[in-house]
Amino acid sequence: MEPHIALLPSAGMGHLMPFLRLAAMLASRNCKVTLLTAQPTVSAAESNHLNSFISAHPHIQRLDFQVVPLQSSNPHGDPFFLQFEAIIRSVHLLPPLLSSLSPPISALFLDIAAATCIDKLADHPSLSISYYILSTTSARFFSLITHLPHLTLESSCENLKLHGLPSFSISNIPPALFNPQNLFTTQLISNARAISRVKGVVSNTFHWFETETIEALNSGKTSITLPQFLPIGPFKHYEDPEKSSSLSWLDEQPAKSVVYVSFGSRTAMSKDQIKEIGEGLLKSKQKFLWVLKSAIVDKVEETELQELVGRSLLEKIEEKKQGIVVKEWVKQEEILTHHAIGGFFSHCGWNSAMEAAQRGVPMLAWTLNGDQRFNAEVVEKAGLGLWQNIGVGWVRDW
Ligand code: BUP
């Protein structure tokens, strides 16, 4: 009988996309797959993607998991981290859902961002299943996460050397990790503790791209015992029947002439940053396709493009016919596959880095927060891109 596997993504497109890809990959390998979807989703992009994914993959079952929303004491708290927390605190609702599945599930894949759920599930008498983590970041950043519960990070040092692992530059570690009170830090430490309870960690990376770290993680020489790390990337693109809009402009451009510019799904740019980037792109004389985000959550992204970019800058861009600016969701993988694309100016979110690596698109990294400096180091070391890391601050701290 085919194994029945359940997957529980957390929040944000950077977490949902690799889960959907893994779900499609498992379903194509004779597994019955159930996707547990935490509701309500934070962004419209997530709910739209879930709907179109399920209609394109009717053999994958969707099971909504209604989470108890958190009342944030900090109205500026990152809505995605609050959703991770809401999922973790709603874990008691999962056992009845999971045990209602037929045929019974044999494994559950959890996001590293909600891995601590395993602590409550693994001891539940009705669930005798294997647990896996899907790591949604680079093996390099994951290797740091594994050691977090046993570390006191000191910002006064230059490098961090952990037994059996390649060393880390302290200045590339997100500042939040030096603050044990930060929600992101407390979450990551509990999630890291759960790693030892899983059968394996699957990751959207590949051996050649991160050889040293992957070999170190599986060497048995780290100071803590780790489950097997399985680099099964790059994850395959899944077919999405919805049509893309920005490709018609690209179709008219010469091969490898356009730089694709995007800083991910969850970083809002300020007006000043938008102006600076826009002026810089114009000065570069390079053709560009620029995807702009001005709100952390797309549901509140209502400002018109002209207002965001500024009328005179937008007119200059249009006049010079050097590029296009869009604020809608684009099909990034299709764009990166397009013959007109010659480079990717990116924040170095891990999915973006892997999507570029898979297609051999060179990257220019402008890292903003989180794991992105670690990812940029990987990209640069692999020879896929450049990263100007001198004198650059953190754009938004977690
Ligand atoms: Br924006 C955007 N279209 O318009 P990352 C993103 N994506 O397909 P992030 C689109 O979202 P985290 C768009 O291809 C990638 O799969 C993109 O993930 C896709 O960055 C995903 O690159 C974005 O990891 O997430 O969004 O900052 O903070 O979790 O790394």
Side-chain angles (χ1 to χ4, degrees), residues 16 22 38 56 62 69 78 90-91 173 308 312 322 345:
L16 182 62
L22 181 62
R62 169 181 178 164
D78 183 302
S90 305
V91 62
I173 298 177
L308 282 178
S312 82
Q322 197 185 326
F345 183 21

Side-chain angles (χ1 to χ4, degrees), residues 123-195:
D123 300 328
H124 201 277
S126 70
L127 293 171
S128 167
I129 57 177
S130 302
Y131 294 92
Y132 291 85
I133 284 174
L134 169 56
S135 163
T136 49
T137 181
S138 51
R140 184 160 170 76
F141 193 67
F142 177 79
S143 70
L144 173 70
I145 297 176
T146 59
H147 285 68
L148 283 181
H150 316 279
L151 273 181
T152 310
L153 286 172
E154 302 281 353
S155 53
S156 52
C157 315
E158 210 175 298
N159 287 309
L160 173 66
K161 183 77 199 98
L162 300 174
H163 187 73
L165 286 176
S167 80
F168 307 106
S169 163
I170 287 283
S171 61
N172 293 341
I173 298 177
L177 289 184
F178 295 85
N179 173 7
Q181 261 76 55
N182 184 290
L183 173 63
F184 169 69
T185 308
T186 51
Q187 277 178 352
L188 209 51
I189 291 175
S190 337
N191 288 325
R193 286 207 179 92
I195 293 171

Side-chain angles (χ1 to χ4, degrees), residues 307-352:
E307 200 188 316
L308 282 178
V309 184
R311 209 170 70 188
S312 82
L313 183 58
L314 201 59
E315 274 171 9
K316 269 195 246 168
I317 293 173
E318 280 163 8
E319 201 182 292
K320 295 195 174 177
K321 295 196 177 8
Q322 197 185 326
I324 54 168
V325 192
V326 292
K327 70 181 198 78
E328 295 75 33
W329 186 262
V330 296
K331 292 192 172 187
Q332 180 164 302
E333 285 194 295
E334 281 184 23
I335 290 175
L336 290 171
T337 309
H338 199 282
H339 66 86
I341 294 295
F344 185 9
F345 183 21
S346 164
H347 68 315
C348 252
W350 188 244
N351 297 293
S352 295

Side-chain angles (χ1 to χ4, degrees), residues 265-295:
S265 65
R266 43 175 298 178
T267 302
M269 292 287 154
S270 69
K271 278 202 167 168
D272 285 348
Q273 284 169 329
I274 292 173
K275 189 165 180 296
E276 189 109 4
I277 293 167
E279 298 285 0
L281 288 171
L282 279 178
K283 271 194 197 151
S284 76
K285 305 242 182 330
Q286 201 70 52
K287 288 187 177 255
F288 59 86
L289 164 53
W290 180 16
V291 179
L292 195 58
K293 297 267 159 259
S294 67

Side-chain angles (χ1 to χ4, degrees), residues 5-8 15 18-23 25-26 107-113 115 118 131-139 142 195 198-206 210 214 217-218 227-235 350-351:
I5 297 174
L7 297 99
L8 174 61
H15 293 257
F19 266 88
L20 297 184
R21 288 174 190 146
L22 181 62
M25 282 157 61
L26 289 168
L108 173 64
F109 282 74
L110 287 134
D111 192 341
I112 181 67
I118 295 165
Y131 294 92
Y132 291 85
I133 284 174
L134 169 56
S135 163
T136 49
T137 181
S138 51
F142 177 79
I195 293 171
V198 301
K199 202 162 179 191
V201 175
V202 298
S203 172
N204 183 16
T205 188
F206 54 100
E210 296 193 83
I214 293 168
L217 283 169
N218 285 330
Q228 200 181 4
F229 184 84
L230 303 153
I232 57 166
F235 282 4
W350 188 244
N351 297 293

